[in-house]
Amino acid sequence: MAALSFNRTTKTFSDGNDEIVAVDELDLEIRDGEFLVLVGPSGCGKSTTLRMVAGLESPTGGTIVLGDREIQHLTPQERDIAMVFQSYALYPHMSVRGNMAYGLQKSTDLSDDEIDNRVRTAADTLDIVDLLDRKPGELSGGQQQRVALGRAIVRDPEVFLLDEPLANLDAKLRAQMRTELQQLQDELGTTTIYVTHDQTEAMSMSDRIAILNAGELQQVGTPLECYHQPENVFVAGFIGEPSMNFFDVTVADDRLVGDGFEVSLSEESRESVSGTEELVLGIRPEDVVITESTDEPDAFEASINVVEPYGDENAVHMQFADTTNDSDFVASIEGMRRLKEGETVGVSFPEESIHLFDAESGEALRNRRLEDEAHIENPEAV
Amino acid sequence: MSKPTTSRGESIARMLPALDYSKIGISILVMVFFVFFISPIWTGLVTAFKTTGAVTGTTPFVPPGTEGFTLEKWTTAIDYLSTGLINSFIMTIPSTILCVALGSTAAYGLTLVDWHRRARFAVLVLFMFGIFIPYQAVLVPLSDFWINIFAVDGTMAFLGDLPFFTERHSRLFAVTVTHVVYGIPICMLLFRGYYVALSDELVEAAKIDGASITSIYRDIVLPLSKPMIGVVFIYQFTMIWNEFLFSLTLIGSSNSPAATVTLVLSGLGSDLSGVDFGLRMAGAFVAALPTIIIYVLFAEQFAEGLASDN
């Protein structure tokens, strides 16, 4: 096991005369034994990053260091990595045993007996011993997924690379495999990079998340850091489901003025945004407060368009009542609380839970205040 | 209890399919095609069993009566074609196997192996040229090559010392090599279509497992090509077995001891006294037999290969 680091790693593809930058000077360190999730929308460069570690793409600039050696110029078999593909890529003509043994036969000098032992142990860990003599075509999606994992862990590599391994499973199995994968990684303690476009997977599985957009690293941090302390508008909008609501606002003395609402600012907040007048206000759906009346400070009227019940909570899509501003925003409320579509309610955006971003650069100027900072700083202690 | 609302006759009528004119049209069309394709084969087959008298005395597609029936044409044809059959096997089997092997490796190198994209495309274009070369255009340079530049008669003269072979078989060797050369492009193209559809991730998984370019081919690609090998083998076998022009140009005469079955067949059953249709038909069926057998043997792989290619 070893740490892995990217140092100004760049990958450009040339398409005719156009240069397409897939990964732009990525600086990122993955600690020994860490479970890092690379997340971002499709085309953000996350898969390219993973494939550069695997040796399936070669970087056009910068280095990749595994342990204490640079690996960017090595062939895949010299790197001591194992990868799980989205399609599983099991060899259809080989048995499960053959699939798992193939890598050991090709990249180690182990005797047949030793290989067989290791395959058996790995199969035991994944509970697939009774599938060893079957062909991949005879297995269900979930079983194939396990075999693909088995093929990776049997190699006992320095790093696991997982490319959307759960994308082809149905929702229930996916949730189950998420937990299992995490436990497995915990047991094995192998440094793992996991690529996904699904922010739920990223949040629930990782030690740390690295968020990429358009080839550039946006933020690296624990899931809760990324959720509560996003460094820019992109991260704020990408992490969290339903996503954060954004509004254009301007600063007027001690108040933020948006189209249809106002929020009074505290002294501290005013300082953090001083010098910038055009801002973007962000507020998570669960922080939007819905009241019966508009008596409270900063409250305004909004009409309810759609209520999506999820059982444990309701996502309420609303619109400002009094203005021409027809932008839609979402609030999450408890599942038991009933609101009717078409109803007009009082809404406020509490000052302590808003995020403020520079409208031009998108950078966060002020994030929501947390009562329990320690909880966020060190989530592993929980 | 509710009573049935329809009479028995009505419910039976409802179960019968409605009269569908397009279905009738299709059935008629199928029958027309069936007759169109089957009648010449049928006529040929019955002619092969007729005595010379019966051939002229009866309608072509009517089976011979008891007095007009004979197996003599078949025994004569087999007798006459046996050397040609052996020669054709000597030529077709190795050249087909080589075409399949080289076509498959070339296709692998041009699709699944990652190297200079433009160079790869240039090589592919060359292969495409190879497919579209008209055979007639190369006959003169071809015979010039085998007779003057690589004088096969001299270099392969040792063939005469082997059992069955004669010195003239050097020309059969020339035809075999020529078929390999002209067969590779189309075989490559057939395999290429199959390999392009093969998952990249499979090859990448093998790379990560530590397999080299050759072991990826041997362990992963080749075993997965089985259905396509069946298709290409049947196709190429039939093409080479039935080919006439190269044999005629390089071997020359149907009397040569190296003559292939197509060459011998061209002279079968025609002499100064006229054409022996019965013998010609029997000969044609004997010559076609090996390709039919190959189809039957590889039918399953053939169907599987065609299905997976689409």
Side-chain angles (χ1 to χ4, degrees), chain A residues 51 54 56 76-77 81-83 85-94 99 102-103 106-107 151 155, chain B residues 114 117-118 199-212 215-216 218-221 223-224:
Chain A
R51 291 166 62 83
L56 298 171
Q77 66 255 48
I81 41 109
M83 182 157 169
F85 293 86
Q86 182 176 353
S87 70
Y88 315 141
L90 299 175
Y91 312 127
H93 58 295
M94 294 185 192
N99 266 285
Y102 189 69
K106 288 292 156 189
S107 53
R151 189 166 68 176
R155 299 270 306 277
Chain B
D114 201 19
R117 255 174 64 193
R118 288 204 182 137
S199 139
D200 282 341
E201 291 196 340
L202 216 52
V203 175
E204 286 171 353
K207 264 188 211 167
I208 286 173
D209 269 346
S212 62
S215 44
I216 292 174
R218 205 185 45 231
D219 300 339
I220 313 292
V221 176
L224 292 177

Side-chain angles (χ1 to χ4, degrees), chain A residues 11 25 51 57 83 111 155 167 171 176 179 287 364 374:
Chain A
K11 176 73 186 176
E25 300 205 343
R51 291 166 62 83
E57 304 279 359
M83 182 157 169
S111 70
R155 299 270 306 277
Q176 184 193 332
T179 324
D287 293 329

Side-chain angles (χ1 to χ4, degrees), chain A residues 100-348:
Chain A
M100 289 170 71
Y102 189 69
L104 292 176
Q105 287 160 359
K106 288 292 156 189
S107 53
T108 63
D109 309 324
L110 296 177
S111 70
D112 287 354
D113 282 348
E114 280 173 278
I115 290 178
D116 205 52
N117 265 336
R118 281 176 68 167
V119 169
R120 198 156 263 287
T121 317
D124 221 23
T125 318
L126 289 163
D127 216 11
I128 50 171
V129 179
D130 46 340
L131 305 178
L132 279 176
D133 294 313
R134 296 221 216 143
K135 292 269 176 70
E138 301 163 26
L139 306 179
S140 69
Q143 289 170 327
Q144 292 187 16
Q145 161 73 62
R146 280 167 186 277
V147 176
L149 277 174
R151 189 166 68 176
I153 66 169
V154 78
R155 299 270 306 277
D156 191 20
E158 299 263 24
V159 182
F160 282 138
L161 306 173
L162 300 118
D163 189 2
E164 309 230 9
L166 306 183
N168 292 351
L169 299 179
D170 63 59
K172 196 163 181 189
L173 201 53
R174 194 180 317 157
Q176 184 193 332
M177 282 307 288
R178 271 207 306 251
T179 324
E180 259 185 62
L181 253 178
Q182 250 178 304
Q183 282 170 349
L184 186 68
Q185 199 268 345
D186 247 14
E187 272 169 45
L188 300 170
T190 309
T191 313
T192 302
I193 308 181
Y194 184 106
V195 162
T196 180
H197 65 274
D198 180 350
Q199 59 91 24
T200 323
E201 269 174 35
M203 290 289 285
S204 59
M205 297 175 77
S206 62
D207 294 333
R208 285 193 306 157
I209 303 181
I211 298 136
L212 284 170
N213 185 35
E216 284 179 36
L217 186 63
Q218 305 291 317
Q219 184 168 0
V220 194
T222 62
L224 292 180
E225 267 169 21
C226 294
Y227 188 80
H228 292 295
Q229 317 260 301
E231 278 173 18
N232 56 39
V233 173
F234 179 81
V235 175
F238 191 81
I239 301 290
E241 173 68 39
S243 7
M244 192 184 275
N245 301 298
F246 295 108
F247 308 95
D248 290 328
V249 291
T250 46
V251 187
D253 297 330
D254 61 344
R255 300 180 73 71
L256 286 172
V257 182
D259 190 358
F261 67 95
E262 286 188 7
V263 179
S264 32
L265 284 178
S266 65
E267 184 73 30
E268 195 191 335
S269 307
R270 239 175 335 186
E271 263 167 43
S272 57
V273 301
S274 69
T276 328
E277 294 201 343
E278 303 289 310
L279 295 174
V280 172
L281 178 147
I283 184 160
R284 296 232 174 251
E286 68 267 29
D287 293 329
V288 175
V289 176
I290 299 180
T291 50
E292 298 299 319
S293 65
T294 51
D295 296 345
E296 295 183 27
D298 290 342
F300 55 92
E301 277 196 335
S303 58
I304 297 171
N305 284 341
V306 180
V307 178
E308 295 173 352
Y310 290 106
D312 57 340
E313 57 168 40
N314 293 317
V316 186
H317 294 255
M318 296 188 284
Q319 228 170 5
F320 296 100
D322 291 339
T323 70
T324 50
N325 185 357
D326 58 355
S327 63
D328 191 90
F329 64 95
V330 186
S332 309
I333 55 164
E334 293 166 49
M336 298 307 283
R337 191 169 160 195
R338 295 282 160 82
L339 286 173
K340 277 200 280 303
E341 287 168 20
E343 200 177 331
T344 303
V345 289
V347 174
S348 68

Side-chain angles (χ1 to χ4, degrees), chain A residues 345-359:
Chain A
V345 289
V347 174
S348 68
F349 300 151
E351 197 261 350
E352 67 274 11
S353 46
I354 61 170
H355 300 256
L356 291 172
F357 305 94
D358 185 325

Side-chain angles (χ1 to χ4, degrees), chain B residues 156-209:
Chain B
M156 301 295 289
F158 66 88
L159 281 174
D161 302 334
L162 301 171
F164 179 78
F165 288 95
T166 65
E167 280 181 29
R168 298 294 297 165
H169 276 88
S170 58
R171 295 298 182 88
L172 191 65
F173 170 80
V175 179
T176 308
V177 175
T178 308
H179 277 309
V180 174
V181 172
Y182 282 94
I184 290 172
I186 186 69
C187 292
M188 192 288 296
L189 193 72
L190 289 168
F191 276 112
R192 185 176 180 276
Y194 190 69
Y195 292 163
V196 165
L198 213 64
S199 139
D200 282 341
E201 291 196 340
L202 216 52
V203 175
E204 286 171 353
K207 264 188 211 167
I208 286 173
D209 269 346

